Amino acid sequence: DAGVIQSPRHEVTEMGQEVTLRCKPISGHNSLFWYRQTMMRGLELLIYFNNNVPIDDSGMPEDRFSAKMPNASFSTLKIQPSEPRDSAVYFCASSSRDRGIRGYTFGSGTRLTVV
Amino acid sequence: AQKVTQAQTEISVVEKEDVTLDCVYETRDTTYYLFWYKQPPSGELVFLIRRNSFDEQNEISGRYSWNFQKSTSSFNFTITASQVVDSAVYFCALSEANGANNLFFGTGTRLTVIP
C-alpha cells in the first residue's frame, strides 16, 4: 500500500489566493481526518469524515476553510481567501473504524506558506 | 472530555542514556486507544505503538518500551541507550472507542540526543 498520499508537498501562495490541498486515503479506510500543525497550537483537528460524510467540522477555523470528500478515495481542503496566519503544515490521516493494527496513518503533510 | 498531557516540553540527553517521556491522559470512555507517534526533523508523523485500554501489558520493541498504567492514567515511553537518530518530537495521543473516533494529541516532547 502506498500509504496516505497528500499533494502538494509544499505550497507558497500570495495572500488572498485560493489554495487547495489534496489527500488520497488508504484503500479500505473509512475515516479521514485533516489536521493542522503550528508552533503555537500544535496538532489540531480541523475536520473528519466517516464513510465520506463530514462528522465534526468544529475545528475548521472559519468560513474561509472548506473540506469535501466526494468519494472514498479523495478529499480536498480548500482555503479561500488565504491569509498569512494560515501558514502551517496540514496533515491528512486515515483509519479504519476499529483503528486497525497501526491506528491512524498520516500523509507526509503539505507545508503551506501564505505571503 | 478528552485530554492528553505531555508535561515535558523538551528533554536533552547524552547518547546512550535512557530517557522516559511522560504521558497522562483523561477520558470518560471505558474503552479507548493510546498511541505514540514520532515526528523527526523531516516532518512526517511516524506511528510507534497502539495500545487498547483493556490491555495493560507493557510492551518492548527493541530499545523502545511502553508502560501503560490505568490506575494513574499514564502511558509512558522509554528509550533505552538513546541514539542521535532518536532526536525528534514525540507525541502521545488518545482515541475513544465509543465517542468520536478522532485522535487527540498531546503537545509533544522534543527529545534531543547529544552525541
Side-chain angles (χ1 to χ4, degrees):
Chain A
D1 198 321
V4 176
I5 300 173
Q6 290 187 247
S7 64
R9 289 295 306 273
H10 302 274
E11 177 80 33
V12 180
T13 190
E14 291 186 348
M15 182 173 64
Q17 296 297 307
E18 177 180 296
V19 176
T20 298
L21 311 181
R22 298 172 176 80
C23 175
K24 176 179 169 55
I26 289 176
S27 177
H29 280 186
N30 58 356
S31 296
L32 183 140
F33 309 82
W34 283 100
Y35 284 85
R36 179 171 68 176
Q37 185 178 31
T38 60
M39 288 294 293
M40 292 297 295
R41 300 174 68 91
L43 277 158
E44 53 181 342
L45 178 70
L46 299 178
I47 185 172
Y48 78 94
F49 298 83
N50 281 348
N51 297 316
N52 312 338
V53 176
I55 301 301
D56 183 359
D57 65 354
S58 59
M60 297 285 261
E62 47 198 272
D63 292 346
R64 297 184 298 106
F65 285 69
S66 62
K68 294 182 180 179
M69 192 166 185
N71 56 62
S73 59
F74 184 65
S75 177
T76 59
L77 177 67
K78 185 176 294 186
I79 308 172
Q80 166 64 19
S82 57
E83 297 182 1
R85 59 190 167 126
D86 301 330
S87 298
V89 179
Y90 292 81
F91 287 101
C92 176
S94 70
S95 78
S96 56
R97 180 60 188 169
D98 65 355
R99 282 46 160 206
I101 297 299
R102 298 181 63 81
Y104 301 74
T105 303
F106 284 80
S108 299
T110 295
R111 181 174 296 277
L112 174 65
T113 303
V114 183
V115 298
Chain B
Q2 315 87 343
K3 186 177 181 182
V4 177
T5 301
Q6 295 180 257
Q8 304 151 309
T9 306
E10 295 190 27
I11 301 176
S12 292
V13 298
V14 176
E15 199 171 21
K16 297 184 182 178
E17 286 184 347
D18 298 348
V19 58
T20 295
L21 310 183
D22 297 332
C23 174
V24 175
Y25 62 91
E26 295 177 28
T27 176
R28 294 177 186 168
D29 214 344
T30 55
T31 303
Y32 49 89
Y33 305 91
L34 295 165
F35 301 83
W36 276 94
Y37 285 85
K38 175 183 180 179
Q39 188 172 43
S42 52
E44 69 270 27
L45 284 162
V46 179
F47 167 86
L48 295 178
I49 190 172
R50 165 190 184 259
R51 213 79 187 123
N52 301 331
S53 55
F54 46 84
D55 183 0
E56 284 194 73
Q57 278 192 337
N58 292 330
E59 181 155 340
I60 298 175
S61 176
R63 296 184 297 107
Y64 294 172
S65 62
W66 290 269
N67 184 341
F68 176 28
Q69 291 194 347
K70 288 180 75 171
S71 60
T72 56
S73 297
S74 65
F75 186 43
N76 296 338
F77 172 32
T78 297
I79 302 174
T80 303
S82 59
Q83 300 176 0
V84 173
V85 292
D86 296 328
S87 296
V89 180
Y90 291 86
F91 292 94
C92 181
L94 165 74
S95 174
E96 295 177 335
N98 297 316
N101 64 332
N102 51 315
L103 193 59
F104 292 89
F105 284 91
T107 52
T109 298
R110 181 178 298 277
L111 174 65
T112 302
V113 181
I114 303 166

